[in-house]
C-alpha cells in the first residue's frame, strides 16, 4: 500500500508538491443519492416547492462547491476547472434522486475532491430546500466512480 502523501517524513501535514508533475487532462466522476418521502419527491418533480426549482438550485450549489473546494479542504490545491457538469436522475421506485458529477481540468493534480465536494453539496442543497417537509431524508453512497489523467492513469470503480 502507498504511503499517505499529505504528511512529510516527520509526520507533519503539508500540501503535496505537484510542481514537477506533467499537466494532463484530468477527469473525475462521482455520484451519490438522497432518499426521501414519496410526497417530497413529487413536490420536487412537479416544481411545486415554494422555494423554487430545487434541482436547478442544487446544480448551481454543486458547481459553486467544486470551485470552492480548496477553501473547504485544507490541503487541496486551487485548480483552474475547465468543466463541471452535474446531472440528476429521479428514481420514483426508491423515492430518491441520484446525482452524478463530472469535473475536468488540465493540470498537475486530479479533480476527485472537487467532484466529491460538488456531489455532496448538491445533495445537501436538496436536503436544505426540502427539510421543512421531510427531515428524514438520507444522503448516502457519495463516492468516486471514475478518474483519468495523470501518472496513475485511468481508474474505474469495479462493482462486484
Amino acid at each position: 500500500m502507498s504511503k499517505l502523501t499529505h504528511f512529510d517524513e516527520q509526520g507533519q501535514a503539508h500540501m503535496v508538491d505537484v510542481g514537477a508533475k506533467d499537466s494532463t487532462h484530468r477527469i473525475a466522476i462521482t455520484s451519490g443519492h438522497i432518499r426521501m418521502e414519496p410526497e417530497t419527491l413529487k413536490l420536487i418533480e412537479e416544481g411545486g416547492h415554494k422555494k423554487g426549482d430545487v434541482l436547478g438550485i442544487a446544480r448551481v450549489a454543486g458547481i459553486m462547491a467544486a470551485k470552492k473546494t480548496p477553501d473547504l479542504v485544507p490541503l487541496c490545491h486551487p485548480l483552474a476547472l475547465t468543466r463541471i457538469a452535474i446531472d440528476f436522475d429521479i428514481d420514483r421506485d426508491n423515492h430518491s434522486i441520484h446525482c452524478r458529477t463530472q469535473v475536468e481540468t488540465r493540470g498537475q493534480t486530479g479533480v476527485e475532491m472537487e467532484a466529491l465536494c460538488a456531489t455532496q453539496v448538491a445533495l445537501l442543497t436538496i436536503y436544505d430546500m426540502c427539510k421543512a417537509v421531510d427531515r428524514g431524508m438520507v444522503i448516502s453512497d457519495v463516492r468516486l466512480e471514475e478518474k483519468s489523467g495523470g501518472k496513475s492513469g485511468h481508474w474505474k470503480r469495479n462493482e462486484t
Side-chain angles (χ1 to χ4, degrees), residues 18-75:
V18 298
K21 294 171 96 180
D22 290 333
S23 285
T24 62
H25 183 214
R26 297 169 184 263
I27 302 170
I29 300 169
T30 59
S31 67
H33 68 266
I34 184 168
R35 277 192 334 267
M36 61 196 67
E37 293 295 328
E39 298 79 22
T40 308
L41 185 60
K42 185 175 180 183
L43 211 77
I44 293 169
E45 268 191 290
E46 294 174 352
H49 198 289
K50 69 180 181 178
K51 290 186 177 181
D53 176 9
V54 173
L55 299 183
I57 293 167
R59 182 175 291 109
V60 171
I63 291 168
M64 290 173 64
K67 295 175 2 177
K68 290 290 191 178
T69 300
D71 295 333
L72 300 170
V73 181
L75 300 177

Side-chain angles (χ1 to χ4, degrees), residues 1-125:
M1 178 172 255
S2 298
K3 66 178 186 132
L4 297 174
T5 58
H6 286 88
F7 296 97
D8 63 18
E9 288 76 31
Q10 291 76 41
Q12 301 296 312
H14 72 103
M15 183 180 258
V16 175
D17 181 0
V18 298
K21 294 171 96 180
D22 290 333
S23 285
T24 62
H25 183 214
R26 297 169 184 263
I27 302 170
I29 300 169
T30 59
S31 67
H33 68 266
I34 184 168
R35 277 192 334 267
M36 61 196 67
E37 293 295 328
E39 298 79 22
T40 308
L41 185 60
K42 185 175 180 183
L43 211 77
I44 293 169
E45 268 191 290
E46 294 174 352
H49 198 289
K50 69 180 181 178
K51 290 186 177 181
D53 176 9
V54 173
L55 299 183
I57 293 167
R59 182 175 291 109
V60 171
I63 291 168
M64 290 173 64
K67 295 175 2 177
K68 290 290 191 178
T69 300
D71 295 333
L72 300 170
V73 181
L75 300 177
C76 275
H77 292 83
L79 301 175
L81 303 178
T82 58
R83 180 170 188 256
I84 305 167
I86 300 175
D87 296 306
F88 297 104
D89 291 313
I90 294 175
D91 180 351
R92 288 175 197 85
D93 293 336
N94 294 303
H95 316 113
S96 64
I97 298 172
H98 183 266
C99 178
R100 180 184 183 277
T101 301
Q102 182 166 327
V103 177
E104 299 182 34
T105 193
R106 179 151 187 84
Q108 295 167 298
T109 190
V111 288
E112 296 95 299
M113 296 307 298
E114 288 75 9
L116 286 164
C117 193
T119 295
Q120 190 79 331
V121 170
L123 294 170
L124 284 169
T125 301

Side-chain angles (χ1 to χ4, degrees), residues 40 49 51 126-137:
T40 308
H49 198 289
K51 290 186 177 181
I126 294 170
Y127 186 96
D128 180 53
M129 293 188 71
C130 298
K131 69 182 183 259
V133 296
D134 185 357
R135 294 199 188 274
M137 291 175 282

